[in-house]
Amino acid sequence: MKSRLSGNEAVAYALQQLNPDVMGAFPITPSTEIPEYFAQYVADGQVNTEFVTVESEHSSMSVCIAAQAAGARSVCATSSCGLALMYELLYVAASCRLPITLACVNRALTGPININNDHSDSMGARDSGWIQIYAENNQEAYDNIIMAMPIGETPGVRLPVMSCMDGFITSHAVENIELLDSDVVQGFIGEYQPENYLLKKENPLAVGPYDVSAYYMEHKVMQAEAMKAAKNRILEVAADFEKISGRRYGLLEEYRMEDAELALVLIGSTAGTAKAAVDQLRAKGEKAGLVKIRVFRPFPGQELAKVLAGTKAVAIMDKSEGLAGGGGPLFAETRSALYDLPERPYLISIVYGLGGRDVKTDDIETVFSRLAHISSSSQIGPVYTHMGQRSKEETV
Amino acid sequence: MSKVYNLKREVEKPARLTGGHRLCAGCGAGVVVSGVLRALDQEDRAVVVNATSCLEVSTFMYPYTAYMDSYIHSAFENSAATCSGVEAAYKALQRRGQVEGTVKFITFAGDGGTYDIGFQSLSGAMERGHDMVYVCYDNEAYMNTGIQRSSSTPAFARTTTTPVGSAVKGKKQNKKDLTEILVAHNIPYVAQTAPIGNFKDLHTKSHKAIYTEGPCFLNILSPCPRGWDYPMEKLAQITKLAVDTCVWPLYEVEEGVWHLSYRPKKKLAVDEFLRPQGRFSHMFQKGNEWMIEEAQAYVDQKWERLLEHTGA
Ligand SMILES: Cc1ncc(C[n+]2csc(CCOP(=O)(O)OP(=O)(O)O)c2C)c(N)n1
Ligand code: SF4
Ligand SMILES: [Mg+2]
């Protein structure tokens, strides 16, 4: 079914189709509309969901953890400070192996307070043990959230899934979108059948122990194995999803990378802008390409290395300032992933778009001309820069 | 409860908190928890929720749980939200016809996890009206981390963050009256009790809390021989002194109606409760008589107020 929806509305609609048992709800810009739309579905009796209007995001995640442990499917949505307030519980959710679904509408993390888009919120949670999938546009935001449960609930995975989209750019912009029928969605996710859960009559369960040194490490290794196993499961679910939707997804998306010598690696809605810039450069005969990271956790390191193996110079564009002193988090992951290549391209880190700073096709073209210069001169210049800002630092 | 309370019959029921947990000998918490769980009707199941605390680290150390019922611990400050989540799941699964029998939801948290860090979560859960019981086992300090003060610690008590020195002598502030704050939430049932005598008061109130629909709150005094610094075999004595001095009055508020559960025949002087406990020993040094006077005045004032509320 064709429709026109904002990203938030699309995600809320998907959640209604998923019909979760429990939703924890707390407002924060720009994700607020998701629980608002959902509240209307509840008010209209369209879902079976216990809609728990908590007093904080800390409680929202706590409710989701408990409900999922009790045997229910639970969901919530948040952004920025809300995700930060959940931080402690994100680790609890993952270590208890609870496949909760969280819609993260990416927004800059305070301080200073800023309501616009960047990825500092979910990047701060990248090591919490959650699968992270990022959307480029409304369609992907809708599709990704529908794939979350079948990925997370698989016995070999059993991990929570964070489905991310860019605040305002994706969450508030109305776009054409193709929606699935609700019974198709229900058929796709199937019934939730956890092996053990708190409310199971036959077998009482204890969750969340005090874990001593003699066991803790084994439990962490099991979590690490689950995260590795998630990669394959994400691809399986994508293949099944293609059958019902005709839309194909991978761990990453290659755009005109066949013979690309100069490439960008980035996440989220900027891919749309970058694709337009790549097209313009290709029209001029430049061998430009783009890699959009769709799945950040588990990180598709080998896949990325394979795609970038033939390139000469690559800019890794981070929409969050990791404040590591040497480049953004995506840069660090990418550089590490490429270490095993026999011949590595030049790599630069460009931090951009913080707190909603705009990025245009011109900006992307500037990055490519920098890459072209690096490639032809074999001079890398500054490795770590910020784009589109007014301070003295040499940009791009 | 249809049957008249009978301690012998109650203790013969299969225990829901089993022995072999790692609480200190003489710890009030174990007695409180087993007492509350005993009030569950035998055929009913429960999901027990626990905040990080002495109780949690002692009763569910992987891979051993001391609970016969399902149990969840998530963090220190979110036990009320956690209980809300389990209860919400129960409702949703019940509508789908996926859960059998009656299940009750009971949270246990210490005073730190209740009066302080978990206060917001508790207030939220009570306001939302989940069908659950929240039990605070109040031992008047953060015991699990080594006896630090909480807002439940009484004035003058020595803790590791309110030490006794030449300039400052123990905690400066009075104990927060959390039970009254919960009364102000206008929930169906709020009660204060203690593991005292034949446990009738604790049992009756627990049963009421568990089987009253909606959010119910129990504040239960839970002496800690380590933190309060008294011999471990004196649990019953110390508890009785707390009640007979009116330091810890037993009362309940049912649908907004206050009721005094116990009036000591002779209200004892507060120093009888303070003297056996090392945490108050400095109050008995020469020159510190004013501390005992202040403590007495505070207890008297609170007691008078309670009598007014209960019309007793
Ligand atoms: C967010 C957070 N802060 C601090 C702690 C450390 N901590 C664990 S238990 C505890 C004290 C618990 O005190 P209380 O709730 O009174 O229970 P008790 O141990 O006294 O029975 C503290 C401070 C923690 N686990 N989590
Ligand atoms: S320190 Fe106190 S509260 Fe903790 S287990 Fe020992 S007696 Fe119980
Ligand atoms: Mg305590």
Side-chain angles (χ1 to χ4, degrees), chain A residues 340-356:
Chain A
D340 293 329
L341 286 178
E343 273 186 66
R344 295 184 287 268
Y346 291 105
L347 298 180
I348 56 171
S349 167
I350 295 174
V351 175
Y352 77 103
L354 303 184

Side-chain angles (χ1 to χ4, degrees), chain A residues 1-14 17 137-146 165 170 173-180 247 249:
Chain A
M1 182 179 67
K2 286 198 190 309
S3 188
R4 284 178 60 75
L5 298 175
S6 72
N8 277 343
E9 199 172 5
V11 166
Y13 186 72
Q17 293 183 305
N137 50 38
N138 301 3
Q139 185 72 63
E140 291 190 11
Y142 173 80
D143 292 350
N144 288 347
I145 205 125
I146 289 171
M165 69 169 141
T170 309
V174 175
E175 292 177 349
N176 290 332
I177 187 166
E178 184 74 43
L179 302 171
L180 297 164
R247 293 184 289 277
Y249 291 102

Side-chain angles (χ1 to χ4, degrees), chain A residues 309-330:
Chain A
T311 58
K312 292 189 170 153
V314 180
I316 295 94
M317 299 190 52
D318 268 285
K319 218 175 194 178
S320 68
E321 188 22 291
L323 301 173
L330 180 58

